[in-house]
Amino acid sequence: MAGAIIENMSTKKLVIVGVTLLLFQAFAFMVGGLIAPSPTTAVHYLATKCVDTGKHQQETKWFMPWGPNQCTKLRTFDEAMAKKIEANNIVFAVHIPLPNKEMSPWFQFMLVILQFDIAFKMYNQIEEGAMATIDVGLAYRDDTVSEWTEMAHSFEQRKLNCNFTTTKTFENEGRYYECDLLPFMEVGSVAHKYYLLNIRLPVNERKKINVGIGEIKDIRFVGIHQNGGFTKVWFAMKTFLTPSILIIMIWYWRRITLMSRPPVLLEKVILALGISMTFINIPVEWFSIGFNWTWMLLFGDIRQGIFYSMLLSFWIIFCGEHLMDQTERNRFSVYWKQVGPIVFGSFCLFIFDMWICACLYFLFLCFMVFQVFRNISGKRTSLPAMSKARRLHYEGLIFRFKFLMLVTLTCAAMTVIFFIISQVNEGHWHWGEHTVQVNSAFFTGIYGMWNLYVFAIMFLYAPSHKRYGDEQTSGDAGGNSGEDIQLTTTITHVDGPSEIYKMTGKAAQE
């Protein structure tokens, strides 16, 4: 009977395919490490203290920290007290980006993080559970002479989490608290060249607004955006990989539909994996360069959640379909206990940001692969009864599928490592005269690895036109008919997609 390509392709051709994929994998890492810049850039801003004289209460006035129309500035709050300027008349102004620079749609998003510089005072300490109320206005413009256009305005609250590491005495007054960074805002599309933040800290003692938050000296911001150079490399990879996966997916399913039987579970899951890979590959981000689509970040998270849930679920089902135990498989309901939490966590877009959960998943996958290897070793006892040619054939098949299992485990391990490194490391290595961007290399390398893995699975598990069993019938018909071995990926479907991993016959029945 016809098996899968992984069974019937010659070793020489398989080696050529493997080496080719390995070269593409190395190229994917090199693109990110040597060509692309770091994925993101962090820019530090110190808010300028501007004075609102109160003459523009009937109109929206935007305070610029620098430039020809810059505001009236204060160096310190002591200066404000000397001039009897109230806290409600002080505006913290931040211009994004820094002078003589421009923002670009290639930056894709803008994330702003807030940090307060708060000095310790014996009679003005930070209270437990203190909340800072912030009056925020965001404006934009696309040249240096036009008026600012309001983009958003909101009253926000942020809980202060600050520690004073020395003794709270009069001698230590003026020392600064160590305060945690606070999430401030996120813009899903960088469609304009210039942005302006105006921030007030309104004080109302009767309503307990901004009371008990200590003596704020300065407000600092960190603006994070994607590097334009990295965006171009990323878009180019997506544009190249989309047709590659789409073509192999159509080719794979066409071969499946040409068979005389309906597709089995593993074949359906492989198709679903190809669809999810194509879905995340489609470079719709190109439209974000010309359109102000602020929902692109959310759409990207949804696509990523769908792919992660499909990839991680596939690995569970892929190993389960090769366990060779007595459980009736080839049904999705068999795997709901393992797949259910994966799908739920992926769509929550939360659980796979947790290292612990990622590591637990990898350990569980290792356990399943160990079970597969143990069961394969148990079935090898049937091989000595075969003729030499047939035994060598099946030993080769077992080696190929063991190797594929190890590749699967390696991909899973690299995915977990990618999650961890992308969160804890933002650096580069120096390699001679070249600078290797570690994060960029992992982004492009892991993304390329996923595509190459999906490509390889669809190619290797597509039905083959060769028929090994027909070729061996004349040689083994005499003395080996009773000990014939058939290996398939599923237990319920004798005429499954391949010959490997189910043994029937006298030796297996025993």
Side-chain angles (χ1 to χ4, degrees):
M1 82 174 188
I5 289 179
I6 189 174
E7 298 171 301
N8 296 326
M9 179 176 280
S10 66
T11 303
K12 180 181 178 180
K13 292 181 179 178
L14 276 179
V15 170
I16 293 174
V17 171
V19 171
T20 303
L21 294 177
L22 189 61
L23 290 176
F24 274 109
Q25 180 63 78
F27 179 73
F29 276 106
M30 292 175 63
V31 165
L34 301 177
I35 298 177
S38 176
T40 58
T41 293
V43 182
H44 295 264
Y45 301 92
L46 176 63
T48 300
K49 306 177 193 68
C50 296
V51 179
D52 185 359
T53 58
K55 298 178 181 179
H56 303 275
Q57 294 181 354
Q58 303 301 321
E59 60 180 290
T60 302
K61 176 176 173 59
W62 296 96
F63 296 86
M64 270 286 292
W66 44 263
N69 297 318
Q70 60 184 280
C71 64
T72 303
K73 300 178 183 179
L74 293 171
R75 290 190 299 272
T76 64
F77 283 101
D78 293 335
E79 181 183 348
M81 293 179 64
K83 295 180 179 180
K84 297 182 179 181
I85 299 173
E86 297 182 356
N88 290 330
N89 291 329
I90 297 177
V91 179
F92 295 87
V94 176
H95 186 279
I96 302 175
L98 295 172
N100 302 319
K101 296 184 181 295
E102 293 181 357
M103 302 298 283
S104 167
W106 291 101
F107 293 166
Q108 291 295 286
F109 67 88
M110 180 170 59
L111 177 67
V112 180
I113 297 173
L114 163 70
Q115 186 176 34
F116 290 108
D117 287 347
I118 305 177
F120 170 73
K121 292 290 183 180
M122 283 295 293
Y123 298 113
N124 187 13
Q125 299 185 29
I126 299 177
E127 298 178 357
E128 186 71 24
M131 300 288 292
T133 302
I134 310 169
D135 179 5
V136 186
L138 175 65
Y140 70 87
R141 68 183 182 185
D142 291 310
D143 55 62
T144 57
V145 296
S146 62
E147 294 295 324
W148 291 97
T149 303
E150 183 176 287
M151 183 174 176
H153 186 270
S154 176
F155 284 88
E156 299 290 332
Q157 285 189 325
R158 297 292 185 270
K159 185 177 180 179
L160 298 179
N161 186 14
C162 301
N163 294 315
F164 193 66
T165 56
T166 57
T167 308
K168 294 183 178 180
T169 61
F170 285 101
E171 289 76 12
N172 289 323
E173 282 192 342
R175 293 176 178 268
Y176 285 88
Y177 287 88
E178 293 183 359
C179 297
D180 291 346
L181 298 173
L182 302 173
F184 184 66
M185 73 170 190
E186 186 174 20
V187 180
S189 174
V190 188
H192 305 285
K193 294 181 179 179
Y194 308 105
Y195 293 87
L196 180 64
L197 278 170
N198 279 185
I199 301 156
R200 300 172 187 261
L201 298 174
V203 177
N204 190 318
E205 294 185 3
R206 183 175 60 85
K207 295 182 179 180
K208 301 294 183 181
I209 297 177
N210 286 332
V211 175
I213 62 173
E215 187 173 297
I216 296 178
K217 293 293 188 180
D218 282 301
I219 301 180
R220 300 178 184 274
F221 295 90
V222 179
I224 302 172
H225 59 79
Q226 188 165 296
N227 273 326
F230 179 83
T231 303
K232 294 174 182 178
V233 172
W234 191 252
F235 286 9
M237 284 191 68
K238 280 177 167 280
T239 304
F240 170 75
L241 291 171
T242 298
S244 305
I245 297 298
L246 185 61
I247 291 171
I248 190 68
M249 182 178 64
I250 295 173
W251 173 84
Y252 165 78
W253 194 245
R254 181 177 177 275
R255 286 208 167 198
I256 296 295
T257 54
L258 290 177
M259 301 186 71
S260 58
R261 57 166 180 80
V264 295
L265 175 62
L266 185 58
E267 293 167 339
K268 295 176 182 177
V269 174
I270 291 175
L271 175 66
L273 181 64
I275 293 174
S276 65
M277 189 77 256
T278 303
F279 184 51
I280 200 174
N281 278 346
I282 297 175
V284 294
E285 291 87 352
W286 281 110
F287 293 101
S288 66
I289 305 302
F291 300 94
N292 187 16
W293 288 354
T294 57
W295 46 268
M296 283 298 295
L297 276 181
L298 176 61
F299 182 63
D301 287 341
I302 292 174
R303 290 199 300 172
Q304 185 171 311
I306 292 174
F307 174 71
Y308 283 159
S309 63
M310 191 62 247
L311 179 65
L312 301 179
S313 300
F314 167 77
W315 283 335
I316 296 296
I317 296 173
F318 181 71
C319 293
E321 289 296 290
H322 293 79
L323 279 177
M324 296 184 303
D325 53 17
Q326 299 304 315
T327 305
E328 182 182 354
R329 300 186 184 275
N330 195 37
R331 291 182 295 110
F332 185 76
S333 58
V334 175
Y335 301 96
W336 72 269
K337 290 183 180 180
Q338 296 93 341
V339 174
I342 293 173
V343 175
F344 176 76
S346 296
F347 279 95
C348 287
L349 305 177
F350 169 73
I351 194 169
F352 293 112
D353 285 336
M354 299 172 61
W355 305 348
I356 293 176
C357 292
C359 293
L360 287 177
Y361 169 85
F362 178 69
L363 291 176
F364 177 70
L365 189 65
C366 289
F367 173 71
M368 293 195 69
V369 173
F370 169 75
Q371 285 185 307
V372 172
F373 280 21
R374 184 184 60 183
N375 292 345
I376 291 174
S377 299
K379 302 297 183 180
R380 291 177 68 97
T381 57
S382 303
L383 297 180
M386 297 180 177
S387 64
K388 181 178 180 181
R390 195 167 184 81
R391 185 178 70 253
L392 291 176
H393 171 71
Y394 283 110
E395 285 178 347
L397 295 187
I398 290 174
F399 172 79
R400 292 180 183 189
F401 277 85
K402 277 189 173 182
F403 182 77
L404 186 58
M405 283 291 173
L406 292 176
V407 170
T408 297
L409 206 58
T410 302
C411 290
M414 292 295 291
T415 301
V416 173
I417 294 172
F418 166 71
F419 282 130
I420 296 175
I421 288 186
S422 62
Q423 295 181 39
V424 303
N425 182 47
E426 178 69 37
H428 54 266
W429 296 339
H430 291 287
W431 184 18
E433 298 180 355
H434 301 282
T435 299
V436 180
Q437 297 293 340
V438 179
N439 264 26
S440 296
F442 262 88
F443 269 102
T444 58
I446 298 301
Y447 178 61
M449 180 194 72
W450 290 337
N451 278 272
L452 292 172
Y453 178 79
V454 173
F455 183 96
I457 287 292
M458 286 192 290
F459 174 74
L460 295 176
Y461 271 79
S464 174
H465 294 318
K466 294 183 179 180
R467 295 179 176 269
Y468 171 80
D470 293 345
E471 297 172 0
Q472 299 295 324
T473 300
S474 59
D476 293 339
N480 212 32
S481 59
E483 297 296 333
D484 191 16
I485 290 183
Q486 181 185 352
L487 305 172
T488 62
T489 55
T490 63
I491 289 190
T492 58
H493 225 292
V494 176
D495 192 20
S498 69
E499 294 181 45
I500 198 74
Y501 294 152
K502 179 188 175 185
M503 296 187 174
T504 60
K506 291 184 179 180
Q509 290 170 3
E510 292 174 359

